Amino acid sequence: MRIRLIIAIWAAKLAAFLSQKFGWKGSSLPGVVARKLYQGTLRDLASQARKGVIMVTGTNGKTTTNNMIANVIKAGGFRIVVNQEGANLITGVTAAFVRYANWLGRINCDYALLEVDEASFPKVVNEVKPQIVVVNNFFRDQLDRYGELDKTVQLVRDALKSLPNVHLVLNADDPLVAQMQSTTGHLATYFGLASNQRNDGGTKQTRESRFCPHCGQELHYDYYQYSQLGAYSCNGCGFRRPQPDIAADEVETAGTMSRCRVSYPGGAAILSLKTQGFYNLYNALAAFTVGHLLEITTETILVGLLNYTPAIGRMETFIYKNKPAILNLVKNPTGYNEGLATLLNIKGTKNVFMAVNDNDADGRDISWLWDVDFEYLAEHHHNIEGFVCSGLRGEEMALRLKYAGVPLEKISVIKDMEQAIKEALKGPGQTTYLFSTYTALWATQKILLGLADKEVPHAQGLSSVS
């Protein structure tokens, strides 16, 4: 077995080298090569994590949450393996381990931190047994690939049931996630937000879950955070939002910063992030919860989260001619709605770029754009100077904006991505906000890097960590 593993590692590392040399992204290619040569590559490498494996799954926020956890654990002085770029299929997970392995197939790490795609989750846990699994949320995403949301939830639930012993970290505010404790029987720790924490109006959200996951009766909500996240209860079977073990209130945003007060068993503290977006507070709470379970000191957890910088397209900020440009990955209605809420919460005038592709990794079916609340955007278009639509389906994006009620004179379609981005950046707005689907993201970031500087966030207007 050792010889086959070594051969697979050498071939995979060669594939990675060639991929970089020829300028390909290739984040999963080494994993493809390794698994072709030796099917046990992932199992053998993952078993070398001394303290165990932590997985993050769910629809939105996997990459951000996983990287936040990585920052927290590194701040605690531990060595890690992490699929930082978001390659979350089984080949991408394998490639992450290959990257950290030496030429003899040995890995020196305490924890492996793995973001795992929901559909791939059963395959990955069949080979790697995690000690902790974080489930962020469940939303409709790529219907042509995943099918209906119930199917995705069942895939994750059944995979969790197959695990002999695992500690779940669950979003208390999402009924589709919170049910995982009772339906799997595993020990769970919950995180969530207190009521009335939004400082923006939010969009008219599509509610992904109206019915109780246990008995099927319609859920009653005291309030919503966004989509189906909020305080819910079922009059039929008594299922309700569990009391979070890690809870946040006093939410604040200023510039490119976010802040909240976190209550945890034994105390409370101020958590600050160098990134915006209301949904990122959920990601940070998940990471805080994992750090708390690993008995990392609260001060160390807070420092790790403060030092987190966004991965590609996760509210990544650039500076173009002294004006900010924010890049945001969008891939489903809920994520896009939250992006729109963040856009409209930014002070001053804005230029907007929207790239839509329909490659396999994006999902061929782009009908989900009609479930995004662009009507809310149209109602508040007065501070937006213009919308530049691009990508393989740029015309359909422009059509969607037209039917939402955005004035036609504000909409333009430019098929050439570089020209489209330049046009958006040159707009008169004080901020440029760039929305991009998955396969357009890398091209968009590459063009931005050639035109603008990456911003180093500052703690603008927020108190220091205490």
Side-chain angles (χ1 to χ4, degrees):
M1 293 294 187
R2 173 62 62 177
I3 295 298
R4 292 181 64 189
L5 176 61
I6 291 172
I7 291 171
I9 295 293
W10 278 66
K13 286 184 176 292
L14 177 60
F17 170 76
L18 293 175
S19 177
Q20 291 175 354
K21 185 175 178 63
F22 288 103
W24 305 327
K25 179 172 169 258
S27 55
S28 295
L29 179 61
V32 174
V33 172
R35 294 181 67 81
K36 283 282 187 184
L37 292 172
Y38 177 44
Q39 223 23 56
T41 299
L42 176 57
R43 182 190 63 241
D44 288 2
L45 294 179
S47 66
Q48 298 181 47
R50 288 183 290 270
K51 291 182 177 292
V53 176
I54 300 166
M55 290 187 188
V56 179
T57 194
T59 308
N60 290 345
K62 293 186 293 292
T63 300
T64 298
T65 300
N66 200 44
N67 290 346
M68 284 180 172
I69 294 170
N71 263 39
V72 167
I73 293 180
K74 283 192 294 185
F78 299 103
R79 298 180 69 95
I80 64 170
V81 166
V82 56
N83 56 337
Q84 189 169 8
E85 294 178 343
N88 57 24
L89 304 183
I90 195 165
T91 50
V93 172
T94 304
F97 280 101
V98 167
R99 184 165 60 251
Y100 285 87
N102 66 19
W103 293 98
L104 294 176
R106 294 192 175 93
I107 291 179
N108 178 20
C109 81
D110 297 303
Y111 292 101
L113 312 175
L114 306 176
E115 168 198 345
V116 184
D117 170 85
E118 308 96 288
S120 294
F121 187 70
K123 300 175 188 174
V124 176
V125 299
N126 188 49
E127 299 184 24
V128 181
K129 305 305 179 192
Q131 281 64 50
I132 296 175
V133 173
V134 179
V135 187
N136 270 354
N137 48 60
F138 287 115
F139 304 118
R140 281 177 298 153
D141 189 30
Q142 296 185 34
L143 290 177
D144 54 344
R145 176 168 170 253
Y146 292 106
E148 287 298 329
L149 185 56
D150 288 348
K151 179 183 176 184
T152 303
V153 174
Q154 184 177 351
L155 279 172
V156 174
R157 183 173 59 231
D158 290 349
L160 289 173
K161 283 182 180 179
S162 73
L163 293 171
N165 186 29
V166 66
H167 193 122
L168 304 180
V169 173
L170 303 177
N171 186 344
D173 295 348
D174 187 341
L176 296 174
V177 172
Q179 58 143 331
M180 289 293 170
Q181 190 281 322
S182 58
T183 55
T184 66
H186 292 306
L187 183 65
T189 300
Y190 292 95
F191 62 91
L193 286 172
S195 61
N196 302 318
Q197 295 306 304
R198 296 208 75 148
N199 55 13
D200 60 69
T203 60
K204 298 181 182 72
Q205 298 280 354
T206 300
R207 308 299 180 194
E208 304 284 16
S209 176
R210 290 177 51 206
F211 303 101
C212 176
H214 294 292
C215 72
Q217 286 205 26
E218 188 165 2
L219 291 171
H220 168 76
Y221 274 81
D222 294 330
Y223 61 83
Y224 290 101
Q225 302 290 5
Y226 67 91
S227 192
Q228 80 271 12
L229 274 62
Y232 49 85
S233 60
C234 174
N235 292 329
C237 66
F239 173 63
R240 62 175 54 248
R241 173 185 182 261
Q243 186 66 31
D245 303 282
I246 307 293
D249 61 6
E250 298 181 11
V251 171
E252 235 182 284
T253 59
T256 57
M257 295 288 296
S258 303
R259 187 182 77 164
C260 64
R261 186 177 75 102
V262 179
S263 300
Y264 56 92
I270 301 300
L271 185 159
S272 297
L273 296 173
K274 295 174 184 174
T275 186
Q276 54 191 308
F278 183 79
Y279 50 88
N280 274 322
L281 292 173
Y282 277 105
N283 301 329
L285 284 178
F288 187 101
T289 305
V290 171
H292 185 75
L293 288 176
L294 297 181
E295 298 183 345
I296 296 173
T297 66
T298 300
E299 182 179 11
T300 301
I301 295 171
L302 296 175
V303 169
L305 289 172
L306 182 64
N307 290 333
Y308 163 79
T309 54
I312 175 174
R314 279 72 175 184
M315 303 302 293
E316 195 178 10
T317 303
F318 301 82
I319 300 297
Y320 176 79
K321 294 187 176 178
N322 296 319
K323 295 194 291 186
I326 300 167
L327 177 58
N328 190 11
L329 169 68
V330 287
K331 59 193 184 82
N332 53 46
T334 298
Y336 218 133
N337 281 336
E338 283 302 295
L340 295 180
T342 302
L343 162 68
L344 294 173
N345 199 41
I346 295 172
K347 294 180 180 178
T349 56
K350 279 86 70 172
N351 315 307
V352 177
F353 168 85
M354 296 172 160
V356 178
N357 280 357
D358 63 350
N359 293 314
D360 284 338
D362 304 290
R364 294 289 186 181
D365 182 357
I366 64 164
S367 63
W368 62 272
L369 290 173
W370 294 87
D371 291 327
V372 180
D373 193 6
F374 290 114
E375 285 72 18
Y376 180 78
L377 180 66
E379 291 172 15
H380 300 83
H381 71 83
H382 306 291
N383 285 336
I384 299 176
E385 301 290 346
F387 300 84
V388 181
C389 303
S390 190
L392 298 176
R393 304 299 288 271
E395 292 90 347
E396 284 85 347
M397 183 68 252
L399 183 70
R400 178 68 185 94
L401 293 176
K402 173 190 172 183
Y403 277 98
V406 174
L408 287 178
E409 63 270 17
K410 286 192 172 185
I411 305 170
S412 60
V413 178
I414 302 176
K415 296 296 289 184
D416 182 85
M417 288 274 285
E418 185 167 0
Q419 184 184 346
I421 291 169
K422 285 179 178 178
E423 188 67 23
L425 290 172
K426 289 190 300 183
Q430 296 163 288
T431 301
T432 301
Y433 201 104
L434 302 99
F435 294 99
S436 175
T437 57
Y438 185 70
T439 63
L441 183 66
W442 297 91
T444 301
Q445 193 218 35
K446 185 177 180 181
I447 292 166
L448 281 171
L449 288 171
L451 298 170
D453 299 317
K454 283 285 293 285
E455 184 189 48
V456 179
H458 303 289
Q460 302 168 350
L462 295 180
S463 304
S464 60
V465 173
S466 61

